mmCIF file of all heavy atoms in Angstrom:
data_model
loop_
_atom_site.group_PDB
_atom_site.id
_atom_site.type_symbol
_atom_site.label_atom_id
_atom_site.label_comp_id
_atom_site.label_asym_id
_atom_site.label_seq_id
_atom_site.Cartn_x
_atom_site.Cartn_y
_atom_site.Cartn_z
ATOM 1 N N SER A 1 0.837 -1.195 0.000
ATOM 2 C CA SER A 1 0.000 0.000 0.000
ATOM 3 C C SER A 1 0.868 1.240 0.000
ATOM 4 O O SER A 1 1.940 1.272 0.600
ATOM 5 C CB SER A 1 -0.916 0.006 1.223
ATOM 6 O OG SER A 1 -1.664 1.201 1.291
ATOM 7 N N SER A 2 0.377 2.282 -0.694
ATOM 8 C CA SER A 2 1.051 3.576 -0.697
ATOM 9 C C SER A 2 0.385 4.560 0.246
ATOM 10 O O SER A 2 0.891 5.662 0.457
ATOM 11 C CB SER A 2 1.063 4.153 -2.121
ATOM 12 O OG SER A 2 -0.273 4.298 -2.603
ATOM 13 N N ASP A 3 -0.758 4.161 0.817
ATOM 14 C CA ASP A 3 -1.491 5.001 1.763
ATOM 15 C C ASP A 3 -0.758 4.987 3.103
ATOM 16 O O ASP A 3 -0.579 3.922 3.716
ATOM 17 C CB ASP A 3 -2.914 4.484 1.912
ATOM 18 C CG ASP A 3 -3.767 5.384 2.794
ATOM 19 O OD1 ASP A 3 -3.420 5.514 3.989
ATOM 20 O OD2 ASP A 3 -4.773 5.929 2.308
ATOM 21 N N GLU A 4 -0.324 6.156 3.573
ATOM 22 C CA GLU A 4 0.489 6.223 4.788
ATOM 23 C C GLU A 4 -0.257 5.691 6.010
ATOM 24 O O GLU A 4 0.313 4.997 6.855
ATOM 25 C CB GLU A 4 0.940 7.660 5.042
ATOM 26 C CG GLU A 4 1.999 8.147 4.070
ATOM 27 C CD GLU A 4 3.254 7.290 4.123
ATOM 28 O OE1 GLU A 4 3.670 6.891 5.232
ATOM 29 O OE2 GLU A 4 3.819 6.996 3.054
ATOM 30 N N VAL A 5 -1.565 6.031 6.124
ATOM 31 C CA VAL A 5 -2.342 5.560 7.271
ATOM 32 C C VAL A 5 -2.500 4.047 7.224
ATOM 33 O O VAL A 5 -2.342 3.351 8.234
ATOM 34 C CB VAL A 5 -3.721 6.252 7.305
ATOM 35 C CG1 VAL A 5 -4.568 5.677 8.438
ATOM 36 C CG2 VAL A 5 -3.564 7.749 7.469
ATOM 37 N N GLU A 6 -2.801 3.515 6.035
ATOM 38 C CA GLU A 6 -2.958 2.064 5.911
ATOM 39 C C GLU A 6 -1.646 1.349 6.179
ATOM 40 O O GLU A 6 -1.625 0.267 6.787
ATOM 41 C CB GLU A 6 -3.480 1.708 4.517
ATOM 42 C CG GLU A 6 -3.802 0.216 4.376
ATOM 43 C CD GLU A 6 -4.378 -0.135 3.021
ATOM 44 O OE1 GLU A 6 -4.415 0.736 2.131
ATOM 45 O OE2 GLU A 6 -4.793 -1.299 2.848
ATOM 46 N N LYS A 7 -0.528 1.938 5.756
ATOM 47 C CA LYS A 7 0.778 1.314 6.007
ATOM 48 C C LYS A 7 1.053 1.195 7.502
ATOM 49 O O LYS A 7 1.609 0.194 7.968
ATOM 50 C CB LYS A 7 1.882 2.135 5.321
ATOM 51 C CG LYS A 7 1.905 1.975 3.807
ATOM 52 C CD LYS A 7 2.819 2.986 3.144
ATOM 53 C CE LYS A 7 4.260 2.780 3.467
ATOM 54 N NZ LYS A 7 5.140 3.715 2.712
ATOM 55 N N ILE A 8 0.649 2.218 8.269
ATOM 56 C CA ILE A 8 0.816 2.133 9.726
ATOM 57 C C ILE A 8 -0.037 0.994 10.287
ATOM 58 O O ILE A 8 0.406 0.228 11.144
ATOM 59 C CB ILE A 8 0.436 3.474 10.381
ATOM 60 C CG1 ILE A 8 1.423 4.565 9.965
ATOM 61 C CG2 ILE A 8 0.395 3.344 11.906
ATOM 62 C CD1 ILE A 8 1.032 5.956 10.414
ATOM 63 N N GLY A 9 -1.282 0.886 9.797
ATOM 64 C CA GLY A 9 -2.154 -0.204 10.245
ATOM 65 C C GLY A 9 -1.583 -1.565 9.910
ATOM 66 O O GLY A 9 -1.660 -2.504 10.724
ATOM 67 N N ILE A 10 -0.994 -1.706 8.725
ATOM 68 C CA ILE A 10 -0.396 -2.984 8.321
ATOM 69 C C ILE A 10 0.811 -3.307 9.202
ATOM 70 O O ILE A 10 1.013 -4.456 9.615
ATOM 71 C CB ILE A 10 -0.009 -2.931 6.827
ATOM 72 C CG1 ILE A 10 -1.274 -2.877 5.959
ATOM 73 C CG2 ILE A 10 0.833 -4.148 6.442
ATOM 74 C CD1 ILE A 10 -1.007 -2.599 4.487
ATOM 75 N N ALA A 11 1.618 -2.287 9.518
ATOM 76 C CA ALA A 11 2.772 -2.506 10.411
ATOM 77 C C ALA A 11 2.308 -2.977 11.787
ATOM 78 O O ALA A 11 2.915 -3.884 12.394
ATOM 79 C CB ALA A 11 3.580 -1.218 10.535
ATOM 80 N N ARG A 12 1.227 -2.402 12.281
ATOM 81 C CA ARG A 12 0.684 -2.838 13.571
ATOM 82 C C ARG A 12 0.118 -4.245 13.487
ATOM 83 O O ARG A 12 0.145 -4.995 14.471
ATOM 84 C CB ARG A 12 -0.376 -1.846 14.042
ATOM 85 C CG ARG A 12 0.199 -0.489 14.428
ATOM 86 C CD ARG A 12 -0.873 0.467 14.921
ATOM 87 N NE ARG A 12 -0.287 1.747 15.326
ATOM 88 C CZ ARG A 12 -0.978 2.765 15.801
ATOM 89 N NH1 ARG A 12 -2.307 2.678 15.919
ATOM 90 N NH2 ARG A 12 -0.368 3.883 16.148
ATOM 91 N N ALA A 13 -0.413 -4.592 12.325
ATOM 92 C CA ALA A 13 -0.915 -5.955 12.141
ATOM 93 C C ALA A 13 0.222 -6.963 12.280
ATOM 94 O O ALA A 13 0.082 -7.993 12.952
ATOM 95 C CB ALA A 13 -1.579 -6.087 10.770
ATOM 96 N N TRP A 14 1.369 -6.655 11.673
ATOM 97 C CA TRP A 14 2.515 -7.568 11.787
ATOM 98 C C TRP A 14 3.030 -7.628 13.225
ATOM 99 O O TRP A 14 3.447 -8.696 13.704
ATOM 100 C CB TRP A 14 3.632 -7.132 10.842
ATOM 101 C CG TRP A 14 3.372 -7.488 9.407
ATOM 102 C CD1 TRP A 14 3.156 -6.637 8.369
ATOM 103 C CD2 TRP A 14 3.278 -8.810 8.871
ATOM 104 N NE1 TRP A 14 2.935 -7.335 7.209
ATOM 105 C CE2 TRP A 14 3.013 -8.677 7.486
ATOM 106 C CE3 TRP A 14 3.395 -10.087 9.406
ATOM 107 C CZ2 TRP A 14 2.855 -9.776 6.648
ATOM 108 C CZ3 TRP A 14 3.240 -11.188 8.577
ATOM 109 C CH2 TRP A 14 2.976 -11.026 7.211
ATOM 110 N N GLU A 15 2.987 -6.509 13.937
ATOM 111 C CA GLU A 15 3.386 -6.523 15.351
ATOM 112 C C GLU A 15 2.466 -7.427 16.163
ATOM 113 O O GLU A 15 2.926 -8.175 17.035
ATOM 114 C CB GLU A 15 3.346 -5.095 15.917
ATOM 115 C CG GLU A 15 4.417 -4.175 15.356
ATOM 116 C CD GLU A 15 4.228 -2.736 15.816
ATOM 117 O OE1 GLU A 15 3.252 -2.472 16.577
ATOM 118 O OE2 GLU A 15 5.037 -1.879 15.430
ATOM 119 N N ALA A 16 1.157 -7.357 15.881
ATOM 120 C CA ALA A 16 0.202 -8.207 16.594
ATOM 121 C C ALA A 16 0.443 -9.678 16.270
ATOM 122 O O ALA A 16 0.363 -10.543 17.155
ATOM 123 C CB ALA A 16 -1.220 -7.812 16.215
ATOM 124 N N ILE A 17 0.762 -9.966 15.004
ATOM 125 C CA ILE A 17 1.025 -11.354 14.601
ATOM 126 C C ILE A 17 2.225 -11.916 15.358
ATOM 127 O O ILE A 17 2.217 -13.065 15.814
ATOM 128 C CB ILE A 17 1.246 -11.419 13.073
ATOM 129 C CG1 ILE A 17 -0.076 -11.165 12.341
ATOM 130 C CG2 ILE A 17 1.828 -12.772 12.659
ATOM 131 C CD1 ILE A 17 0.071 -10.969 10.843
ATOM 132 N N GLU A 18 3.256 -11.101 15.524
ATOM 133 C CA GLU A 18 4.465 -11.558 16.214
ATOM 134 C C GLU A 18 4.205 -11.869 17.684
ATOM 135 O O GLU A 18 4.914 -12.680 18.287
ATOM 136 C CB GLU A 18 5.560 -10.504 16.088
ATOM 137 C CG GLU A 18 6.113 -10.358 14.673
ATOM 138 C CD GLU A 18 7.128 -9.248 14.572
ATOM 139 O OE1 GLU A 18 7.203 -8.436 15.520
ATOM 140 O OE2 GLU A 18 7.856 -9.184 13.562
ATOM 141 N N ARG A 19 3.180 -11.218 18.281
ATOM 142 C CA ARG A 19 2.885 -11.439 19.703
ATOM 143 C C ARG A 19 1.758 -12.456 19.921
ATOM 144 O O ARG A 19 1.360 -12.689 21.055
ATOM 145 C CB ARG A 19 2.508 -10.110 20.369
ATOM 146 C CG ARG A 19 3.648 -9.121 20.450
ATOM 147 C CD ARG A 19 3.295 -7.977 21.395
ATOM 148 N NE ARG A 19 2.186 -7.189 20.871
ATOM 149 C CZ ARG A 19 2.331 -6.106 20.122
ATOM 150 N NH1 ARG A 19 3.544 -5.700 19.789
ATOM 151 N NH2 ARG A 19 1.279 -5.427 19.707
ATOM 152 N N ALA A 20 1.258 -13.053 18.864
ATOM 153 C CA ALA A 20 0.095 -13.941 18.961
ATOM 154 C C ALA A 20 0.450 -15.289 19.578
ATOM 155 O O ALA A 20 1.578 -15.777 19.465
ATOM 156 C CB ALA A 20 -0.510 -14.154 17.573
ATOM 157 N N ASP A 21 -0.543 -15.875 20.246
ATOM 158 C CA ASP A 21 -0.433 -17.273 20.667
ATOM 159 C C ASP A 21 -0.951 -18.199 19.571
ATOM 160 O O ASP A 21 -0.501 -19.332 19.448
ATOM 161 C CB ASP A 21 -1.248 -17.499 21.947
ATOM 162 C CG ASP A 21 -0.723 -16.693 23.123
ATOM 163 O OD1 ASP A 21 0.501 -16.681 23.315
ATOM 164 O OD2 ASP A 21 -1.527 -16.071 23.832
ATOM 165 N N VAL A 22 -1.916 -17.704 18.802
ATOM 166 C CA VAL A 22 -2.481 -18.433 17.671
ATOM 167 C C VAL A 22 -2.788 -17.408 16.581
ATOM 168 O O VAL A 22 -3.272 -16.314 16.870
ATOM 169 C CB VAL A 22 -3.787 -19.181 18.047
ATOM 170 C CG1 VAL A 22 -4.350 -19.921 16.830
ATOM 171 C CG2 VAL A 22 -3.555 -20.142 19.195
ATOM 172 N N VAL A 23 -2.524 -17.763 15.337
ATOM 173 C CA VAL A 23 -2.875 -16.911 14.205
ATOM 174 C C VAL A 23 -3.949 -17.604 13.379
ATOM 175 O O VAL A 23 -3.789 -18.771 12.996
ATOM 176 C CB VAL A 23 -1.648 -16.611 13.319
ATOM 177 C CG1 VAL A 23 -2.073 -15.854 12.056
ATOM 178 C CG2 VAL A 23 -0.620 -15.806 14.084
ATOM 179 N N LEU A 24 -5.046 -16.897 13.151
ATOM 180 C CA LEU A 24 -6.063 -17.372 12.213
ATOM 181 C C LEU A 24 -5.776 -16.722 10.867
ATOM 182 O O LEU A 24 -5.978 -15.513 10.697
ATOM 183 C CB LEU A 24 -7.472 -16.993 12.694
ATOM 184 C CG LEU A 24 -7.960 -17.590 14.015
ATOM 185 C CD1 LEU A 24 -9.402 -17.153 14.287
ATOM 186 C CD2 LEU A 24 -7.858 -19.103 14.001
ATOM 187 N N PHE A 25 -5.273 -17.508 9.925
ATOM 188 C CA PHE A 25 -4.979 -16.988 8.583
ATOM 189 C C PHE A 25 -6.255 -17.132 7.765
ATOM 190 O O PHE A 25 -6.635 -18.228 7.362
ATOM 191 C CB PHE A 25 -3.823 -17.768 7.964
ATOM 192 C CG PHE A 25 -3.315 -17.202 6.670
ATOM 193 C CD1 PHE A 25 -3.824 -16.018 6.138
ATOM 194 C CD2 PHE A 25 -2.311 -17.848 5.963
ATOM 195 C CE1 PHE A 25 -3.355 -15.492 4.956
ATOM 196 C CE2 PHE A 25 -1.822 -17.329 4.779
ATOM 197 C CZ PHE A 25 -2.350 -16.149 4.270
ATOM 198 N N LEU A 26 -6.914 -15.994 7.549
ATOM 199 C CA LEU A 26 -8.228 -16.014 6.911
ATOM 200 C C LEU A 26 -8.102 -15.880 5.393
ATOM 201 O O LEU A 26 -7.446 -14.956 4.898
ATOM 202 C CB LEU A 26 -9.095 -14.880 7.472
ATOM 203 C CG LEU A 26 -10.601 -15.006 7.236
ATOM 204 C CD1 LEU A 26 -11.149 -16.234 7.946
ATOM 205 C CD2 LEU A 26 -11.324 -13.757 7.741
ATOM 206 N N HIS A 27 -8.751 -16.807 4.685
ATOM 207 C CA HIS A 27 -8.767 -16.805 3.228
ATOM 208 C C HIS A 27 -10.197 -16.571 2.739
ATOM 209 O O HIS A 27 -11.163 -16.881 3.426
ATOM 210 C CB HIS A 27 -8.261 -18.143 2.669
ATOM 211 C CG HIS A 27 -6.978 -18.613 3.279
ATOM 212 N ND1 HIS A 27 -5.741 -18.213 2.839
ATOM 213 C CD2 HIS A 27 -6.743 -19.473 4.314
ATOM 214 C CE1 HIS A 27 -4.799 -18.795 3.558
ATOM 215 N NE2 HIS A 27 -5.377 -19.566 4.466
ATOM 216 N N ASP A 28 -10.297 -16.064 1.510
ATOM 217 C CA ASP A 28 -11.597 -15.831 0.872
ATOM 218 C C ASP A 28 -11.908 -17.011 -0.033
ATOM 219 O O ASP A 28 -11.253 -17.213 -1.071
ATOM 220 C CB ASP A 28 -11.542 -14.526 0.072
ATOM 221 C CG ASP A 28 -12.901 -14.133 -0.499
ATOM 222 O OD1 ASP A 28 -13.791 -15.007 -0.563
ATOM 223 O OD2 ASP A 28 -13.064 -12.964 -0.882
ATOM 224 N N LEU A 29 -12.896 -17.800 0.355
ATOM 225 C CA LEU A 29 -13.221 -19.015 -0.397
ATOM 226 C C LEU A 29 -13.740 -18.698 -1.800
ATOM 227 O O LEU A 29 -13.608 -19.520 -2.716
ATOM 228 C CB LEU A 29 -14.262 -19.829 0.377
ATOM 229 C CG LEU A 29 -14.432 -21.314 0.009
ATOM 230 C CD1 LEU A 29 -13.101 -22.052 0.091
ATOM 231 C CD2 LEU A 29 -15.452 -21.972 0.928
ATOM 232 N N THR A 30 -14.306 -17.521 -1.980
ATOM 233 C CA THR A 30 -14.818 -17.166 -3.310
ATOM 234 C C THR A 30 -13.687 -16.867 -4.292
ATOM 235 O O THR A 30 -13.925 -16.780 -5.500
ATOM 236 C CB THR A 30 -15.743 -15.931 -3.226
ATOM 237 O OG1 THR A 30 -14.987 -14.796 -2.801
ATOM 238 C CG2 THR A 30 -16.895 -16.173 -2.262
ATOM 239 N N ARG A 31 -12.482 -16.696 -3.797
ATOM 240 C CA ARG A 31 -11.341 -16.404 -4.669
ATOM 241 C C ARG A 31 -10.315 -17.530 -4.646
ATOM 242 O O ARG A 31 -9.125 -17.320 -4.918
ATOM 243 C CB ARG A 31 -10.687 -15.091 -4.234
ATOM 244 C CG ARG A 31 -11.567 -13.866 -4.490
ATOM 245 C CD ARG A 31 -10.836 -12.577 -4.152
ATOM 246 N NE ARG A 31 -10.922 -12.266 -2.724
ATOM 247 C CZ ARG A 31 -10.322 -11.232 -2.156
ATOM 248 N NH1 ARG A 31 -9.555 -10.423 -2.879
ATOM 249 N NH2 ARG A 31 -10.459 -10.997 -0.859
ATOM 250 N N ILE A 32 -10.782 -18.736 -4.329
ATOM 251 C CA ILE A 32 -9.872 -19.866 -4.183
ATOM 252 C C ILE A 32 -9.201 -20.240 -5.499
ATOM 253 O O ILE A 32 -8.117 -20.835 -5.522
ATOM 254 C CB ILE A 32 -10.621 -21.093 -3.586
ATOM 255 C CG1 ILE A 32 -9.606 -22.175 -3.169
ATOM 256 C CG2 ILE A 32 -11.652 -21.642 -4.573
ATOM 257 C CD1 ILE A 32 -10.233 -23.311 -2.393
ATOM 258 N N ASN A 33 -9.831 -19.886 -6.630
ATOM 259 C CA ASN A 33 -9.263 -20.229 -7.936
ATOM 260 C C ASN A 33 -8.604 -19.031 -8.624
ATOM 261 O O ASN A 33 -8.174 -19.139 -9.770
ATOM 262 C CB ASN A 33 -10.355 -20.804 -8.847
ATOM 263 C CG ASN A 33 -10.884 -22.133 -8.313
ATOM 264 O OD1 ASN A 33 -10.110 -22.978 -7.879
ATOM 265 N ND2 ASN A 33 -12.194 -22.319 -8.355
ATOM 266 N N ALA A 34 -8.552 -17.895 -7.922
ATOM 267 C CA ALA A 34 -7.916 -16.715 -8.502
ATOM 268 C C ALA A 34 -6.406 -16.803 -8.298
ATOM 269 O O ALA A 34 -5.924 -16.828 -7.163
ATOM 270 C CB ALA A 34 -8.468 -15.446 -7.872
ATOM 271 N N ILE A 35 -5.658 -16.843 -9.401
ATOM 272 C CA ILE A 35 -4.213 -17.079 -9.327
ATOM 273 C C ILE A 35 -3.507 -15.979 -8.539
ATOM 274 O O ILE A 35 -2.660 -16.250 -7.670
ATOM 275 C CB ILE A 35 -3.624 -17.184 -10.746
ATOM 276 C CG1 ILE A 35 -4.204 -18.420 -11.458
ATOM 277 C CG2 ILE A 35 -2.100 -17.277 -10.678
ATOM 278 C CD1 ILE A 35 -3.755 -18.552 -12.897
ATOM 279 N N ASP A 36 -3.845 -14.717 -8.836
ATOM 280 C CA ASP A 36 -3.188 -13.607 -8.136
ATOM 281 C C ASP A 36 -3.472 -13.660 -6.635
ATOM 282 O O ASP A 36 -2.577 -13.385 -5.819
ATOM 283 C CB ASP A 36 -3.660 -12.267 -8.706
ATOM 284 C CG ASP A 36 -3.161 -12.044 -10.128
ATOM 285 O OD1 ASP A 36 -2.250 -12.785 -10.545
ATOM 286 O OD2 ASP A 36 -3.689 -11.141 -10.803
ATOM 287 N N TYR A 37 -4.714 -13.998 -6.275
ATOM 288 C CA TYR A 37 -5.092 -14.044 -4.856
ATOM 289 C C TYR A 37 -4.330 -15.156 -4.141
ATOM 290 O O TYR A 37 -3.804 -14.951 -3.038
ATOM 291 C CB TYR A 37 -6.605 -14.262 -4.726
ATOM 292 C CG TYR A 37 -7.077 -14.302 -3.287
ATOM 293 C CD1 TYR A 37 -7.282 -13.124 -2.572
ATOM 294 C CD2 TYR A 37 -7.280 -15.514 -2.632
ATOM 295 C CE1 TYR A 37 -7.697 -13.150 -1.251
ATOM 296 C CE2 TYR A 37 -7.693 -15.551 -1.307
ATOM 297 C CZ TYR A 37 -7.897 -14.362 -0.621
ATOM 298 O OH TYR A 37 -8.290 -14.397 0.683
ATOM 299 N N ILE A 38 -4.275 -16.339 -4.745
ATOM 300 C CA ILE A 38 -3.579 -17.474 -4.129
ATOM 301 C C ILE A 38 -2.089 -17.182 -4.001
ATOM 302 O O ILE A 38 -1.446 -17.532 -2.998
ATOM 303 C CB ILE A 38 -3.813 -18.761 -4.951
ATOM 304 C CG1 ILE A 38 -5.293 -19.148 -4.904
ATOM 305 C CG2 ILE A 38 -2.958 -19.902 -4.423
ATOM 306 C CD1 ILE A 38 -5.827 -19.379 -3.509
#
């Protein structure tokens, strides 16, 4: 992302992932066959 606010949110997301006890990696089932998405 080039959006400065969104980039801060994404950085915080990675910080939360590093401190997690469990990570739920959520996928979109409607895009299961989309090559770019996968």
